[in-house]
């Protein structure tokens, strides 16, 4: 049912060149779906999104905004995320609070 709801909206083949415009259009498209079907927002979590094909279309379309001309530096992002994860785990293992 969620897959059918997410499939109600699609994107133009000629995506906006500017990444901000593309992300805004994607956000507005998803917002219109959530307004039409309020129960959709309660199904998914940011940390564990639904694995439904039509929702993946929305995510891939928005991620496509960063493919051309925008340096994501995935290696740096991965290193930052791994460090944050390990810092959080260390405080749990040692029974101490993370120092801000």
């Amino acid at each position: 049912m969620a897959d059918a709801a997410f499939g109600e909206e699609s994107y133009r083949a000629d995506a906006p060149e500017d990444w901000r415009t593309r992300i805004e259009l994607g956000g507005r498209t998803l917002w219109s779906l959530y307004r039409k079907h309020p129960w959709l927002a309660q199904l998914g979590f940011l940390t564990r999104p639904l694995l439904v094909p039509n929702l993946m279309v929305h995510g891939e379309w928005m991620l496509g905004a960063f493919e051309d001309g925008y340096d994501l530096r995935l290696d740096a992002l991965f290193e930052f995320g791994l460090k944050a994860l390990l810092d959080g785990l260390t405080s749990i293992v040692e029974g101490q609070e993370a120092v801000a």
Side-chain angles (χ1 to χ4, degrees), residues 1 7 10 16 33 46-47 61 66 69 99-100:
M1 187 191 291
S10 61
L33 284 171
L46 290 175
T47 57
W61 191 84
F66 301 116
V99 178

Side-chain angles (χ1 to χ4, degrees), residues 47-74:
T47 57
R48 194 179 310 161
L50 293 173
L51 297 176
V52 293
N54 284 321
L55 178 56
M56 289 181 196
V57 168
H58 294 283
E60 289 175 3
W61 191 84
M62 284 199 270
L63 285 174
F66 301 116
E67 284 180 342
D68 301 323
Y70 194 83
D71 183 18
L72 279 180
R73 297 263 341 261
L74 292 178

Side-chain angles (χ1 to χ4, degrees), residues 3-79:
D3 191 44
F6 281 117
E8 290 178 8
E9 296 285 341
S10 61
Y11 299 98
R12 302 184 319 236
D14 59 332
E17 293 290 326
D18 179 44
W19 70 269
R20 287 180 189 257
T21 306
R22 186 168 175 161
I23 296 297
E24 181 181 350
L25 178 60
R28 290 183 185 279
T29 301
L30 284 174
W31 181 250
S32 72
L33 284 171
Y34 291 136
R35 296 278 302 193
K36 223 185 290 187
H37 306 285
W39 52 270
L40 280 177
Q42 298 171 359
L43 293 181
F45 302 96
L46 290 175
T47 57
R48 194 179 310 161
L50 293 173
L51 297 176
V52 293
N54 284 321
L55 178 56
M56 289 181 196
V57 168
H58 294 283
E60 289 175 3
W61 191 84
M62 284 199 270
L63 285 174
F66 301 116
E67 284 180 342
D68 301 323
Y70 194 83
D71 183 18
L72 279 180
R73 297 263 341 261
L74 292 178
D75 57 335
L77 288 172
F78 178 77
E79 183 179 331

